[in-house]
Amino acid sequence: MGTYVVTGSASGMGRAVAERLRANGHTVIGVDVQPAEVVADLSTPAGRRAAANAVLSACGGRLDGAVLAAGVGPTPGRDQPRRILEVNYFGVVELLQAWRPALAAGERAKVVAFSSNSTTTMPAIPGRAIRALLAGDVDKAARALRIFGRAASSMAYGASKVAVSRWVRRHAVTRDWAGAGIRLNALAPGAILTPLLEKQLSTPAEAKAIHSFPVPIGGFGDAGHLADWVVFMLSDSADFLCGSVLFVDGGSDAYFRSDDWPGPVPARRLAAYLRKFKRFTSFS
Ligand code: NAI
């Protein structure tokens, strides 16, 4: 039986994942601002450091997997855009960087980071905010969002999830991750009926926008079903999954972006592609 860390373990999908792992006999170290094994506020650097260290002590320096589900939704509020960036992006990547050696010490360790289908279905997410996050500059990212006024929370949410997905894809294939035997992937849910979505639905304007959003199969997803996908992505059956962003969203991404991806390498990227091809060394 393995040892897993699950952030956001007190509610919604993180809670459902923790319950399933425990039911399968695994040890779960939950991290949350609400009651959990490790109580920490991931919206501050000090809270993230405390969470990272507490988990490393609790697991004895060895983890078989990590699930990064803690997150805040795009509800309006003056401080909300920055909180979204802090929790949804830095609350994923800083913890993963701190836990990487423990994951490398684990048995075929797997990581699932929560992204969202807002990455591909939300228009006009500012590239400057995404680039600033990937450069580790939260102030610059927050400044890039100010011009959006009331919509800044939505844009922050989209930017945080695009940046998480890119971070996962960039790092998954490197010596430090794939080369250390760690499988790093992301899950991109659509609208799943959890307390996060319920909070958004409690505002009439947001509820109207959510209900009118195209979901080809209709309705909302179920937290337990998403947890089943996560458990699969943590299993040995997912050994060949590396750097993937898996969309489980009732078809919204396919509806809006059917012809955008997968797509061929554009001619203007050919030189960079060939350079990567030549540089490649296998980790097996
Ligand atoms: P939820 O609100 O039910 O659970 C999120 C958990 O994160 C809560 O237990 C909360 O206390 C914790 N959390 C929030 N801020 C924190 C902080 N500062 N420090 C520590 N913990 C904190 O949400 P849900 O829906 O289960 O979301 C899980 C993940 O899935 C999130 O990353 C969310 O962005 C993502 N997601 C959710 C979708 C949905 O429709 N519910 C759709 C797409 C992605």
Side-chain angles (χ1 to χ4, degrees), residues 47-118:
R48 294 191 287 271
R49 268 196 305 277
N53 291 336
V55 168
L56 289 174
S57 311
C59 73
R62 184 185 185 282
L63 286 168
D64 298 296
V67 178
L68 290 299
V72 282
T75 42
R78 209 166 66 85
D79 299 331
Q80 190 70 352
R82 195 182 173 104
R83 182 182 301 277
I84 289 168
L85 303 179
E86 296 274 9
V87 179
N88 295 11
Y89 179 73
F90 293 98
V92 173
V93 306
E94 287 182 8
L95 295 186
L96 283 178
Q97 277 158 338
W99 294 337
R100 198 200 63 80
L103 289 159
E107 182 68 29
R108 296 153 84 181
K110 311 277 190 310
V111 175
V112 181
F114 270 76
S115 175
S116 163
N117 78 340
S118 61

Side-chain angles (χ1 to χ4, degrees), residues 140-161:
K140 195 171 176 186
R143 277 199 303 278
L145 296 163
R146 269 193 211 135
I147 52 163
F148 291 95
R150 274 186 64 78
S153 288
S154 308
M155 291 296 156
Y157 189 80
S160 72
K161 297 298 187 180

Side-chain angles (χ1 to χ4, degrees), residues 110-113 168 172 183-187 233 238 241-245:
K110 311 277 190 310
V111 175
V112 181
V168 162
R183 298 293 174 263
L184 175 57
N185 294 286
L187 184 65
M233 292 166 82
L241 194 67
C242 177
S244 290
V245 182

Side-chain angles (χ1 to χ4, degrees), residues 131-177:
R131 286 191 294 277
L133 289 175
L134 286 162
D137 191 337
V138 69
D139 295 324
K140 195 171 176 186
R143 277 199 303 278
L145 296 163
R146 269 193 211 135
I147 52 163
F148 291 95
R150 274 186 64 78
S153 288
S154 308
M155 291 296 156
Y157 189 80
S160 72
K161 297 298 187 180
V162 174
V164 160
S165 306
R166 284 203 194 152
W167 190 92
V168 162
R169 285 171 62 75
R170 285 181 184 182
H171 288 78
V173 294
T174 60
R175 185 170 298 283
D176 279 351
W177 292 87

Side-chain angles (χ1 to χ4, degrees), residues 22-35:
R22 287 195 180 106
N24 291 341
H26 300 296
T27 300
V28 175
I29 307 164
V31 179
D32 208 294
V33 73
Q34 301 184 66

